[in-house]
């Protein structure tokens, strides 16, 4: 990577990303209602948030780092029996197409995965075009707020979370929809828990603290539904089978958290920025990046993430409704340019990231919906989960040269 290229990627990431609050929280239509974070620099330290971004609504109180967040109340025991695996791979794909090129994999993923209405939307879209998607779940979306103090994140008060907590109806609703999505072939990854970004966030966490954070995610998945219901409820999936992570705001010391991932047997990280190119392994896990692209009709570099596109278009400010068609068309054109670049480069995967959001008059959700419907049925395209791509790479290896798997 040359220095100019690296600078462009870092500039593209600097817009950051944000998660959608739980239902009932302030609407993300107003950017001050949600907490955009910053993204890592090339060193992986944390850069200050741009002045145009809101400050966190949840105060943080430094304390002694906790490396093992032990619940203050005994967790409910999950029922015995087999649980669903979080990363099903039920399809196989050829090493190359009749053209001699590998399949052009389009990987669509979502951060947070809380809104039940958008769960229904994206599952329906995927079914329409035979796509599989990856959903990076935030732990608190499955954990009831009246038990929040069970979570003891590093440097924060017990129960701290910048994305809120669940309630009984939503926790149980998500538990059901997660089971349904897995049965349909979709993958569940982890987006960790409290979504702590910026200079007081996850950027300073050690491997031990990341290990504790991932263990806390496991506990929320296993015990949250039962705690919410007040009776034994089967977890939606086995958290030990989660194979990938996207870190909050794309931040974190990569060697530190990837060591924790390797120790758990996880296979890929979807957090780092990168380019439209064949993936490589970094620190023992596959690097499935959000990719640097040019915003159509401009010279602006951004990443293939909805929040970054919003920031590139309007500095993450809600535009007048009348501008929504033009903004949506620009996002669609950006995706199509990226797809064309992949085709011209031997079909490396295209990674697209989104949130469960209706930001900026639903420009980004609507644009991605149209792109998926128009693209996933094209003869050379396969719309897959991250784990399906990892399985293909394990079988065929990274393509050598421009076209053929080795």
């Amino acid at each position: 990577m040359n220095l100019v290229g690296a600078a462009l990627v870092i500039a593209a990431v600097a817009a950051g990303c944000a998660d959608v609050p739980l239902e009932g929280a302030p609407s993300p239509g107003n950017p001050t209602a949600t907490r955009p974070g910053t993204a890592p620099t090339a060193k992986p330290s944390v850069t200050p948030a741009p002045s145009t971004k809101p400050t966190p609504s949840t105060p943080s109180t430094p304390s002694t780092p906790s490396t093992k967040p032990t619940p203050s109340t005994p967790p409910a025991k999950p029922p015995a029996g087999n649980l669903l695996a979080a990363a099903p791979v039920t399809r196989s794909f050829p090493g190359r197409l009749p053209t001699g090129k590998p399949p052009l994999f389009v990987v669509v993923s979502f951060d947070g995965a809380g809104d039940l209405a958008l769960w229904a939307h994206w599952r329906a879209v995927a079914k329409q075009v035979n796509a599989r998607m990856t959903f990076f779940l935030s732990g608190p979306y499955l954990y009831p707020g009246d038990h929040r103090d069970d979570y003891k994140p590093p440097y924060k008060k017990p129960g701290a979370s910048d994305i809120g907590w669940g309630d009984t109806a939503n926790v149980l609703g998500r538990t059901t929809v997660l089971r349904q999505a897995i049965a349909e072939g979709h993958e569940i990854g982890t987006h960790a828990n409290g979504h702590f970004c910026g200079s007081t966030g996850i950027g300073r966490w050690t491997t031990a603290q990341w290990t504790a954070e991932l263990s806390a995610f496991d506990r929320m998945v296993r015990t949250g539904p039962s705690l919410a219901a007040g009776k034994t409820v089967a977890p939606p999936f086995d958290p030990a089978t989660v194979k990938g992570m996207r870190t909050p705001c794309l931040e974190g010391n990569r060697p530190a958290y990837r060591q924790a991932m390797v120790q758990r047997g996880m296979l890929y990280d979807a957090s780092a920025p990168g380019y439209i190119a064949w993936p490589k392994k970094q620190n023992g896990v596959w690097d499935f990046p959000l990719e640097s692209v040019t915003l159509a009709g401009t010279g602006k570099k951004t990443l293939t993430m909805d929040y970054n596109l919003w920031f590139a278009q309007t500095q993450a400010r809600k535009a007048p409704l009348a501008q929504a068609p033009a903004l949506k068309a620009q996002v669609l054109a950006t995706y199509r340019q990226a797809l064309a670049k992949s085709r011209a480069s031997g079909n490396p995967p295209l990674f697209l990231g989104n949130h469960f959001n209706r930001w900026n008059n639903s420009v980004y959700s609507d644009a991605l919906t149209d792109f998926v419907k128009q693209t996933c049925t094209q003869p050379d395209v396969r719309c897959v989960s991250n784990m399906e791509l990892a399985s293909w790479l394990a079988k065929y290896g990274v393509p050598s040269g421009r076209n053929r798997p080795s």
Side-chain angles (χ1 to χ4, degrees), residues 295 300 308-320 323 327 330 360 364:
L295 183 67
K300 294 180 181 178
N308 296 76
L309 289 160
W310 186 20
F311 197 91
Q313 286 184 319
T314 67
Q315 296 287 296
R317 296 186 178 93
K318 186 175 181 179
Q323 294 180 15
L327 293 171
Q330 186 179 42
N360 210 8
Y364 311 99

Side-chain angles (χ1 to χ4, degrees), residues 271-291:
S271 312
Y275 296 93
I276 297 174
W278 284 99
K280 298 179 180 178
K281 282 192 173 179
Q282 303 279 347
N283 306 114
V285 296
W286 284 107
D287 195 353
F288 287 172
L290 291 164
E291 294 161 331

Side-chain angles (χ1 to χ4, degrees), residues 239-262:
T241 63
V242 166
K243 296 301 181 185
M245 176 165 68
R246 178 171 291 143
T247 60
C249 299
L250 316 182
E251 293 180 4
N253 182 305
R254 302 210 192 285
Y257 73 71
R258 286 182 175 177
Q259 184 177 344
M261 292 177 71
V262 169

Side-chain angles (χ1 to χ4, degrees), residues 389-406:
L389 174 59
S391 177
W392 186 90
L393 288 167
K395 182 175 182 179
Y396 293 106
V398 176
S400 57
R402 288 171 63 85
N403 296 334
R404 290 180 172 81
S406 55

Side-chain angles (χ1 to χ4, degrees), residues 12 22 34 54 68 85 103 116 118 139 153 165 170 197 240 251 260 265 267-268 280 296 317 327 372 374 380:
L22 297 168
T34 181
K68 188 174 182 180
L116 292 171
L118 285 169
W165 295 90
N170 283 316
C197 303
E251 293 180 4
L267 299 180
Y268 72 86
K280 298 179 180 178
R317 296 186 178 93
L327 293 171
V372 166
Q374 296 164 8
D380 60 337

